Amino acid sequence: MKAKIKYIFIGLLAILALSWFFINNQESANMNSIFIEKIKDGDIIFSALNTDKGALTDFNKFGVIEKHLGKIYVWDNQNTIKKSLSEWSKNGEILKVYRITHLDFNINTLELQNGTYNHIMNSDVLEFIIENK
């Protein structure tokens, strides 16, 4: 009887350990750990959705990064909705992260040009940090 209880206890511990491992590594499976380490609060993240008609070079969505307790969140471009990075980005998207280099830069003035934010990404007001691949 003691051996049976011992095997049940070991089985439960194994299930708990595997569950913990799966839950902790789920978001890091989607994002490279180097990507996570390089970004900081306040960085701007741009997204290009892979579609049949559009190329992955048309970055038409952006947000502001917030890191909190080891997790990454993204505020939408209106600073009204905060989502986890994995929730904010969809499969097939390329993400590029930039850091503001000029103190007088106002994120609220970002506007689409020809349906993209590429003109801001190529300007001298932002410094390229990293992109996911």
Side-chain angles (χ1 to χ4, degrees):
M1 186 68 169
K2 285 185 179 183
K4 216 180 225 187
I5 293 173
K6 181 179 176 181
Y7 290 124
I8 290 172
F9 182 72
I10 290 173
L12 288 173
L13 284 177
I15 290 171
L16 285 173
L18 288 173
S19 299
W20 176 83
F21 180 79
F22 178 77
I23 290 169
N24 271 353
N25 291 313
Q26 185 149 8
E27 188 163 359
S28 63
N30 295 334
M31 298 294 156
N32 188 330
S33 63
I34 295 171
F35 181 81
I36 293 169
E37 289 175 12
K38 286 194 173 190
I39 60 177
K40 296 181 180 180
D41 279 345
D43 285 349
I44 301 173
I45 186 166
F46 293 93
S47 161
L49 182 60
N50 186 8
T51 65
D52 295 337
K53 297 177 184 175
L56 285 174
T57 58
D58 296 335
F59 289 84
N60 55 9
K61 181 171 121 180
F62 81 90
V64 178
I65 292 177
E66 177 183 314
K67 290 175 84 173
H68 182 69
L69 297 175
K71 296 194 180 203
I72 299 174
Y73 299 96
V74 179
W75 285 93
D76 68 345
N77 60 357
Q78 301 298 315
N79 204 24
T80 55
I81 299 173
K82 178 172 94 170
K83 295 181 179 180
S84 69
L85 179 58
S86 59
E87 196 179 337
W88 185 79
S89 63
K90 298 175 182 74
N91 292 335
E93 285 186 74
I94 287 185
L95 305 174
K96 288 189 176 185
V97 178
Y98 288 80
R99 192 159 294 139
I100 299 171
T101 57
H102 292 285
L103 296 176
D104 57 345
F105 177 74
N106 185 353
I107 198 164
N108 296 326
T109 62
L110 289 181
E111 292 181 10
L112 288 169
Q113 249 182 29
N114 298 325
T116 72
Y117 291 107
N118 295 358
H119 63 286
I120 299 294
M121 296 166 58
N122 296 326
S123 70
D124 62 348
V125 296
L126 298 177
E127 171 191 3
F128 174 74
I129 302 300
I130 195 165
E131 75 178 280
N132 73 335
K133 298 200 182 215

